[in-house]
Amino acid sequence: MKFNLFVLPFTIGLVVLFCILIAKYVRWFLNLNPEQRDSVKKNFLTIKTLSGLKEILLESLLHRNISKKNRLLGYMHMSLAFGWFLLIIVGHFESYSYFKTAMEPPYIPIFLRYFQQDALADPLQVVYWFVMDFLLLFVLSGVALAWYKRQNQKRFGMRKTTRHLPADRVALSVLWLIFPLRLLAESITSALYGGGSFLTSGLGSLLENNIATNLSFVASWWAYSISLGLFFICLPFSRYMHIPTEVILIMLRNWGATKYSGKIDGITQFEVHSCSSCGICLDSCQLMELGHSNIQSPYLFRNFRANRLTDQEVQNCLMCGRCETACVVGIKTNSARQAIRHNSSAEVNHDYLRHVDTSFNSSPDVLYFAGCMTHLTPGIKKSMQTIFKAAKINYALADEDRNICCGRPMMLSGLADQAAAMVNKNKELFEKSGARTLVTSCPICYKVFREEYNLDIEVIHHTQYIDRLMKEGKLDLVKSEEHVAYHDPCELGRSSGIYDEPRNIINSLANLNETPANRELALCCGGSIANIILTSHEKKELALSALEKIVPQNTETLVTACPLCKKTFVSTGKSLKIIDIAELVAENLTVGQTSRKFGKFQKVESASI
Amino acid sequence: MNSFGFEIQKDNTIEYDKNDLSLAAFVLKHEPSLYNCIQCGSCSGSCPASAISSYQFRKMQLLMRRGEIKNLREDVAHCLLCGKCILVCPRGVNTRNVIRQIRIALNMN
Ligand code: SF4
Ligand code: SF4
Ligand code: SF4
Ligand code: SF4
């Protein structure tokens, strides 16, 4: 049998790696919730498996998504991943062509140049040598770029790069050593025994006279094997765990097993371990502006994996979802953070909600739920009432004098189970009303009603509702010459995908000036209810900086569709008209349809604070 | 008897020397914005929990700072974390974090 002691570090590393991976993956699989497991079973033997494999090729190996962000960065990741993958695959073919068996121990194709030093009569060998040298050069170019990137991340389209933990740095150094060591070992072999192609035999001839000795020959193969073995052992405890995990995550996604349970379950583990700490999402995080530079998703996930999370890191996040949009792996950063925040043992007592009377003295078709935040921006509520009246809708207010929170703020703080009393009471309210449509003005309520309440009635945000009323011709509106900007609220846009309805409305009422910070790339107003840490001063700073970017020149008005965004922007004191889309609509109703002309909303607002 | 919605407060003596002020110190250390509170009561006025229960943020934090913490646990458990109080507070008190810090201090989280 072909064997030498130096293969041991590699072989042991590989075995240890596989044992750890299997142990972890089995545990996480068992932790998938029943719904997720069912969809794996259902979709396992379908076309979805094939599309998963295709995605693995495109993302895990070719890194298409990263290339879309920056070509150089994409090339760097591709050369390392795809190059190494090809080295292994072609190595296996080469080994097969020499030894005519596929049952060789796994170290043979890896250390092939050691075990097959002599030139063969086979003309194919020269081709293999060339291809393998070429692939090695390909990978080495990636290593060089990765090293260069550590110094000059700006060239790769990134302002910030991730700061790593010691374990990650060890793994990184070992990874960078693997391929130069392989080059050295193969070149020395070529110098002593011949063989190799342009790269290894070229370098070999340079080393021939002094460096290539029997001692350096043995030492270099040992060093190469040790670097591989070390890397394998570091892998499950470092960020490189993302390499095998992302592959599984892609399959799970294709099998449809991604519905979050809100707790740390199997899918959370797969997602959190698929983060490579690449840092591509860092620049999108607005908290960086405030100097909070240790709470972003890669740090959250990394410290979660290392079991060293601090409360600050978990809580200090706007849950704006901007990093989720930026993530090249498609990690559901918001859901993962919410799962990490989940705390089922926290103590609350909401029994008093029992006393809230949920009866109605009318039977409305449409129920309007203003929500806590809209109660604090009464202009929005009044405008909605004007609109309902103008369109002659049989509506009722759900929470006029019995305002119960929708429960989402509590869920965002990790107390999802504890929000049950609110959820049940609100559900009771909705059911008793007998309405078929539930309209909300607050995107926070909208999201939770739609996703967590399992309601039988239609849930709709007021932007969608007004758009519908306009299409049905129920509102008599006039278009003004005003130039307005629109701010996409996080919970309505990125989180719920509602971008077009507000734009339809605005386009028929005013001139909309868009900025690059719109739709998926919209900024957070800073007032997010998901962040319990930021001071009022910091929130204001975020809001002012966002306003700079979302209100273009010669625009007098900023329209938004969330009472919290409005409130946050208004309280910066910036001299700008800031209104909700419902107010814009009420303002532009023809006089025949409204008895009240809306004017200076900022004044109304500040008077009501 | 007619009920006007008012009640007569019981006599109350605050014994600063005996009361335990360590909890207040913990909360103020972790959320110093509470020092800015002017006891205006806007928070309680807007609070959905206060509208239907005896819980009031202003009163709770005032009692806590005086070391009257007998009912603190029960009180703070009422909060819905909705965040209305933050939005109305004229002094920028991070009320929700005050609540969270009380919960942490009382081992309720
Ligand atoms: S969700 Fe927003 S605030 Fe939180 S880490 Fe991502 S980008 Fe930053
Ligand atoms: S969350 Fe995504 S983009 Fe951000 S570091 Fe992790 S893998 Fe990269
Ligand atoms: S967060 Fe708590 S204290 Fe503040 S208004 Fe809401 S329920 Fe009241
Ligand atoms: S609103 Fe603010 S300043 Fe007024 S009592 Fe409440 S916490 Fe204090």
Side-chain angles (χ1 to χ4, degrees):
Chain A
M1 187 168 118
K2 292 177 277 300
F3 178 77
N4 184 296
L5 271 184
F6 85 83
V7 303
L8 279 181
F10 161 81
T11 315
I12 294 170
L14 192 67
V15 171
V16 171
L17 171 65
F18 269 94
C19 291
I20 298 177
L21 284 186
I22 289 169
K24 286 195 189 238
Y25 290 162
V26 167
R27 212 175 57 229
W28 298 343
F29 261 106
L30 295 177
N31 266 340
L32 288 179
N33 65 43
E35 221 176 304
Q36 295 163 350
R37 241 179 294 162
D38 281 349
S39 56
V40 172
K41 272 186 221 140
K42 209 170 73 214
N43 294 316
F44 191 70
L45 288 177
T46 63
I47 186 90
K48 294 195 172 135
T49 302
L50 285 181
S51 62
L53 291 174
K54 182 177 148 212
E55 197 182 327
I56 289 171
L57 173 72
L58 287 174
E59 295 307 335
S60 299
L61 294 174
L62 298 178
H63 289 98
R64 183 185 51 168
N65 271 341
I66 302 184
S67 303
K68 279 188 207 149
K69 303 255 167 190
N70 181 295
R71 294 260 279 283
L72 196 57
L73 198 62
Y75 174 82
M76 179 193 110
H77 282 87
M78 180 186 71
S79 59
L80 284 168
F82 194 51
W84 196 359
F85 175 76
L86 285 182
L87 269 180
I88 297 170
I89 297 293
V90 179
H92 275 82
F93 279 108
E94 188 185 359
S95 151
Y96 182 79
S97 86
Y98 300 159
F99 307 124
K100 300 289 179 258
T101 165
M103 299 306 290
E104 294 288 357
Y107 55 79
I108 296 288
I110 306 297
F111 305 115
L112 196 58
R113 291 287 290 281
Y114 178 89
F115 289 107
Q116 180 60 52
Q117 292 154 358
D118 311 328
L120 299 168
D122 188 353
L124 213 57
Q125 193 182 31
V126 182
V127 179
Y128 273 122
W129 280 344
F130 175 80
V131 172
M132 292 299 273
D133 267 17
F134 178 78
L135 289 175
L136 186 57
L137 187 65
F138 183 45
V139 179
L140 282 169
S141 70
V143 175
L145 279 175
W147 182 80
Y148 180 65
K149 177 186 151 233
R150 283 271 122 197
Q151 275 77 36
N152 301 285
Q153 66 260 26
K154 286 206 183 69
R155 293 290 301 275
F156 294 76
M158 292 164 74
R159 283 201 300 273
K160 288 268 180 332
T161 187
T162 354
R163 296 180 308 277
H164 294 306
L165 289 181
D168 287 329
R169 265 188 248 131
V170 172
L172 181 72
S173 318
V174 178
L175 177 64
W176 286 357
L177 275 179
I178 290 176
F179 299 99
L181 284 174
R182 176 174 177 144
L183 175 66
L184 186 69
E186 294 193 344
S187 302
I188 293 176
T189 309
S190 165
L192 295 181
Y193 302 98
S197 190
F198 65 98
L199 184 64
T200 47
S201 97
L203 186 63
S205 57
L206 288 179
L207 303 176
E208 218 159 15
N209 293 329
N210 33 32
I211 297 177
T213 61
N214 274 340
L215 181 68
S216 67
F217 170 70
V218 176
S220 61
W221 281 107
W222 267 96
Y224 174 43
S225 171
I226 290 172
S227 67
L228 279 169
L230 253 181
F231 180 70
F232 290 157
I233 291 177
C234 287
L235 185 143
F237 308 104
S238 70
R239 65 198 187 102
Y240 296 102
M241 184 67 179
H242 80 269
I243 300 172
T245 313
E246 189 194 345
V247 169
I248 299 187
L249 181 67
I250 290 177
M251 291 316 291
L252 285 172
R253 272 193 209 137
N254 276 278
W255 290 327
T258 46
K259 184 147 179 10
Y260 262 89
S261 64
K263 304 182 180 68
I264 297 172
D265 55 9
I267 199 77
T268 322
Q269 295 284 6
F270 281 114
E271 296 247 7
V272 165
H273 285 83
S274 294
C275 170
S276 59
S277 298
C278 67
I280 289 175
C281 59
L282 290 179
D283 290 341
S284 66
C285 182
Q286 290 165 260
L287 293 184
M288 286 287 208
E289 291 174 24
L290 298 175
H292 297 297
S293 54
N294 61 345
I295 57 85
Q296 284 69 21
S297 296
Y299 300 123
L300 176 82
F301 299 154
R302 177 190 77 186
N303 290 351
F304 172 81
R305 297 189 300 246
N307 217 347
R308 41 169 277 177
L309 266 180
T310 64
D311 187 55
Q312 178 85 12
E313 286 159 354
V314 177
Q315 303 294 341
N316 191 3
C317 163
L318 302 160
M319 304 271 257
C320 63
R322 280 172 55 82
C323 52
E324 192 165 314
T325 305
C327 177
V328 281
V329 183
I331 296 172
K332 300 269 170 292
T333 57
N334 267 355
S335 313
R337 189 180 289 264
Q338 204 171 325
I340 291 173
R341 284 183 179 181
H342 183 255
N343 174 357
S344 55
S345 60
E347 188 184 319
V348 302
N349 177 2
H350 297 157
D351 281 352
Y352 60 91
L353 291 177
R354 271 185 300 133
H355 304 302
V356 179
D357 174 18
T358 49
S359 62
F360 278 83
N361 45 23
S362 65
S363 45
D365 298 329
V366 174
L367 194 61
Y368 175 60
F369 188 92
C372 297
M373 298 303 150
T374 314
H375 283 301
L376 298 178
T377 47
I380 302 178
K381 192 174 77 182
K382 284 182 198 134
S383 302
M384 282 308 292
Q385 288 177 289
T386 309
I387 293 167
F388 281 125
K389 275 189 207 125
K392 301 197 175 58
I393 304 294
N394 170 21
Y395 79 103
L397 297 170
D399 58 343
E400 173 85 292
D401 42 12
R402 48 187 168 195
N403 162 217
I404 304 169
C405 174
C406 64
R408 182 150 166 84
M410 201 142 213
M411 294 177 192
L412 285 170
S413 298
L415 311 190
D417 305 340
Q418 291 81 346
M422 286 177 262
V423 173
N424 292 336
K425 199 70 195 177
N426 279 322
K427 268 181 149 172
E428 185 184 312
L429 189 71
F430 302 155
E431 272 155 27
K432 285 219 182 135
S433 77
R436 289 186 308 274
T437 302
L438 175 63
V439 179
T440 91
S441 279
C442 177
I444 305 171
C445 307
Y446 169 72
K447 186 169 166 70
V448 74
F449 291 159
R450 235 177 40 141
E451 292 175 15
E452 310 287 339
Y453 270 56
N454 292 320
L455 293 171
D456 289 332
I457 62 176
E458 177 195 32
V459 179
I460 182 167
H461 184 254
H462 74 238
T463 48
Q464 298 169 296
Y465 187 68
I466 295 172
D467 184 44
R468 184 191 292 175
L469 290 179
M470 283 168 62
K471 288 196 172 123
E472 289 170 353
K474 291 201 173 130
L475 296 176
D476 202 357
L477 295 155
V478 278
K479 184 167 175 164
S480 73
E481 284 312 309
E482 207 175 347
H483 284 268
V484 307
Y486 175 65
H487 166 68
D488 286 285
C490 301
E491 297 271 87
L492 192 69
R494 264 187 304 274
S495 216
S496 304
I498 299 177
Y499 298 113
D500 295 332
E501 290 90 336
R503 287 178 169 77
N504 293 345
I505 300 173
I506 295 174
N507 279 326
S508 47
L509 296 179
N511 301 309
L512 178 58
N513 295 345
E514 296 268 14
T515 63
N518 68 356
R519 294 183 179 253
E520 288 86 1
L521 298 180
L523 294 161
C524 174
C525 68
S528 168
I529 205 81
N531 192 317
I532 205 164
I533 304 281
L534 290 186
T535 65
S536 56
H537 183 75
E538 288 173 315
K539 288 182 185 173
K540 185 171 167 183
E541 221 176 291
L542 280 183
L544 280 171
S545 136
L547 281 176
E548 289 289 312
K549 293 172 198 126
I550 58 186
V551 186
Q553 297 281 311
N554 66 42
T555 308
E556 313 93 62
T557 307
L558 176 67
V559 180
T560 183
C562 168
L564 184 53
C565 294
K566 178 184 168 186
K567 188 93 182 159
T568 309
F569 283 140
V570 167
S571 57
T572 58
K574 184 135 174 142
S575 63
L576 176 77
K577 185 172 160 195
I578 299 164
I579 57 171
D580 188 271
I581 199 158
E583 293 170 310
L584 180 75
V585 174
E587 229 179 55
N588 288 285
L589 281 170
T590 54
V591 186
Q593 276 206 320
T594 170
S595 55
R596 180 171 163 222
K597 185 77 185 138
F598 286 81
K600 300 210 166 20
F601 279 93
Q602 255 172 299
K603 286 249 172 68
V604 174
E605 254 340 284
S606 44
S608 63
I609 287 173
Chain B
M1 201 175 84
N2 280 337
S3 166
F4 293 102
F6 301 107
E7 57 181 289
I8 295 171
Q9 297 273 349
K10 287 192 211 78
D11 286 350
N12 189 15
T13 316
I14 300 162
E15 304 213 44
Y16 269 114
D17 293 336
K18 288 192 188 150
N19 281 355
D20 179 7
L21 298 174
S22 63
L23 200 139
F26 174 89
V27 174
L28 282 161
K29 178 168 166 236
H30 290 95
E31 190 46 69
S33 69
L34 184 57
Y35 280 118
N36 299 342
C37 174
I38 50 168
Q39 315 295 344
C40 69
S42 303
C43 45
S44 305
S46 69
C47 173
S50 301
I52 44 178
S53 75
S54 59
Y55 165 71
Q56 286 181 32
F57 179 80
R58 187 197 65 84
K59 185 170 157 194
M60 176 183 74
Q61 58 84 26
L62 183 63
L63 290 177
M64 174 191 76
R65 288 170 76 177
R66 290 174 177 166
E68 307 271 283
I69 53 174
K70 223 172 43 256
N71 298 326
L72 192 57
R73 190 179 195 95
E74 199 195 310
D75 269 347
V76 78
H78 282 65
C79 171
L80 305 169
L81 282 181
C82 70
K84 277 177 100 173
C85 46
I86 294 194
L87 288 187
V88 297
C89 177
R91 302 286 294 157
V93 177
N94 189 351
T95 49
R96 291 203 317 153
N97 199 33
V98 170
I99 288 160
R100 200 174 70 101
Q101 294 303 337
I102 296 176
R103 299 179 56 95
I104 291 172
L106 294 176
N107 255 328
M108 294 168 73
N109 261 5

